[in-house]
Amino acid sequence: MSGNVTIRDVARKAGVSISTVSRVINGTGYVRESTRKKIEDAIRALGYSPNHVARSLSKGSTKIIGAILPDISNPFFPTLARGIDDAVSSRGYTLIICNTDSDVRQEESSVRVLLEKRVDGVVFVAGSPESASLVRRASEQVPVAVIDREVEGVPCDTVTVDNFRGSYELTRYLLNCGHRKMAYISGPLHLSTSKKRLAGFRACLRDSGVNDEPHVFHGDFKYDTGYSIAREIIRMGLGITCVVCANDLMAIGAMRCFQDLGIGVPSQVAVCGFDDITMASLVRPSLTTVAQPAYRMGALAAEMLLERIEKGRDQSPRSRVLEPVLVIRDSTGGGGVKA
Ligand code: RIB
């Protein structure tokens, strides 16, 4: 039959009422198994496809969730997205993922497109310095949950990790290994994750009586940047014994650079990161890092968002801070133990 098959046609062919067909399509209410089979056979025979827009307008819900992510080429974010998708799909929602490359124009177009599609809610990972205004704009129309990078001045549910403490514990471990001349490669310093990790690094040095100003280089969470800054560190001849990177991709880039220059890791210079992406345990030497529960962050933020969508938006914004875990591996001379 033609593409304009209606729910009425399905009901007639199956010999049931329209409301019974509607219950099968929406998965609501009880339908006898034999009746369900007749309806499903009729849907297949007629090639019926529910009119999603009409159904959405009648229900005031599209059952679609949007996720705005800054860099889906970084393995941290697909893991986080998997947590979001498992949570929303188990409740009958579809996930639309938008990648922004931390560019404000792409963040703007992502918010616009998702609102045009009438998504029921948005999970947002900030990337550009202007993200707060976009989170505010979206949250005026639909519930928004913020993950990983905090967004100041916009009251909405937030799930983060204790970045300060994770970085502090890592630095304390490095000091206990005897490192005193360390270089630090930060993430983009407009992001809360980057600021708090650098703050944790500095605070631990200060609390441990290491007063030498550390060499801090401004990175961007990218592999190539870790590689190029590592080369600059060697060119400068700083006598560094350890390079601390604000994420794993930069740390893996730095390790590759040292190995290309014939510099032993960790025998001549130790390297460590933050995230514990899958590659961290696969590279050689395996990477010491701070594990983030990325999957759990995504799932928890999605659960908080769905609760707000389904039970009303009057709840005051909630903030959940998850704990990171220090993972000691060979790139600092450790042995793969969780500290
Ligand atoms: O590697 C990407 C980084 O951006 C992660 O550390 C995550 O916390 C986010 O801030």
Side-chain angles (χ1 to χ4, degrees):
M1 288 189 70
S2 71
N4 62 349
V5 173
T6 67
I7 192 169
R8 185 181 309 278
D9 299 323
V10 173
R12 187 178 301 123
K13 184 167 182 67
V16 300
S17 69
I18 288 175
S19 59
T20 304
V21 176
S22 177
R23 286 204 300 277
V24 169
I25 291 171
N26 295 309
T28 53
Y30 170 74
V31 178
R32 194 180 305 131
E33 194 50 39
S34 58
T35 304
R36 176 186 303 281
K37 187 172 181 325
K38 278 197 298 185
I39 292 168
E40 288 170 349
D41 290 347
I43 288 172
R44 270 191 296 276
L46 295 172
Y48 171 68
S49 164
N51 181 326
H52 179 77
V53 174
R55 187 153 63 102
S56 305
L57 290 173
S58 66
K59 291 183 170 300
S61 161
T62 58
K63 301 287 279 183
I64 298 174
I65 297 297
I68 298 177
L69 304 178
D71 180 6
I72 57 176
S73 68
N74 179 326
F76 175 84
F77 293 108
T79 302
L80 184 141
R82 185 69 212 217
I84 299 169
D85 188 52
D86 286 352
V88 303
S89 56
S90 67
R91 303 263 283 268
Y93 289 78
T94 298
L95 181 65
I96 295 178
I97 294 176
C98 299
N99 179 61
T100 67
D101 290 327
S102 298
D103 177 283
V104 64
R105 289 168 307 223
Q106 287 181 243
E107 287 182 330
E108 281 173 340
S109 64
S110 298
V111 168
R112 176 176 46 76
V113 166
L114 290 175
L115 292 179
E116 284 171 357
K117 290 192 178 301
R118 296 291 187 275
V119 297
D120 292 339
V122 175
V123 177
F124 200 112
V125 179
S128 79
E130 297 83 10
S131 294
S133 62
L134 294 167
V135 173
R136 184 177 298 106
R137 185 190 310 171
S139 64
E140 287 163 0
Q141 300 198 39
V142 293
V144 174
V146 165
I147 306 187
D148 179 51
R149 291 105 180 245
E150 295 163 65
V151 171
E152 292 181 12
V154 185
C156 51
D157 295 328
T158 301
V159 178
T160 59
V161 148
D162 190 341
N163 289 286
F164 180 94
R165 196 170 86 75
S167 185
Y168 192 102
E169 296 301 326
L170 171 64
T171 307
R172 179 153 56 186
Y173 156 72
L174 297 170
L175 290 170
N176 290 341
C177 291
H179 293 292
R180 290 299 177 274
K181 295 278 286 179
M182 293 191 268
Y184 188 91
I185 306 179
S186 78
L189 288 174
H190 65 274
L191 298 175
S192 64
T193 49
S194 307
K195 284 187 277 194
K196 292 192 170 185
R197 290 172 200 169
L198 178 54
F201 172 73
R202 288 186 183 281
C204 187
L205 293 179
R206 185 186 59 244
D207 294 350
S208 307
V210 178
N211 299 316
D212 295 343
E213 178 62 20
H215 298 282
V216 177
F217 297 82
H218 292 179
D220 59 3
F221 286 147
K222 305 278 189 190
Y223 172 93
D224 291 344
T225 303
Y227 191 104
S228 57
I229 292 178
R231 188 170 49 210
E232 178 64 7
I233 288 171
I234 298 303
R235 188 195 65 77
M236 293 170 69
L238 300 171
I240 297 296
T241 65
C242 182
V243 175
V244 184
C245 301
N247 83 327
D248 287 352
L249 283 184
M250 292 195 296
I252 294 168
M255 276 208 301
R256 179 72 266 164
C257 174
F258 293 140
Q259 290 160 345
D260 288 350
L261 295 174
I263 297 170
V265 178
S267 56
Q268 292 176 269
V269 62
V271 177
C272 53
F274 203 109
D275 287 347
D276 199 20
I277 58 176
T278 304
M279 274 192 279
S281 62
L282 302 179
V283 291
R284 288 295 172 263
S286 55
L287 183 65
T288 288
T289 186
V290 177
Q292 292 203 73
Y295 179 93
R296 179 74 188 122
M297 290 167 78
L300 182 57
E303 288 158 10
M304 291 165 78
L305 182 67
L306 293 181
E307 189 180 340
R308 189 170 291 280
I309 290 168
E310 295 170 354
K311 297 182 181 166
R313 301 177 60 179
D314 52 353
Q315 293 168 304
S316 53
R318 297 159 293 178
S319 174
R320 293 288 301 274
V321 181
L322 304 184
E323 290 305 316
V325 177
L326 175 59
V327 182
I328 299 169
R329 296 196 177 105
D330 296 338
S331 67
T332 57
V337 294
K338 287 187 188 283

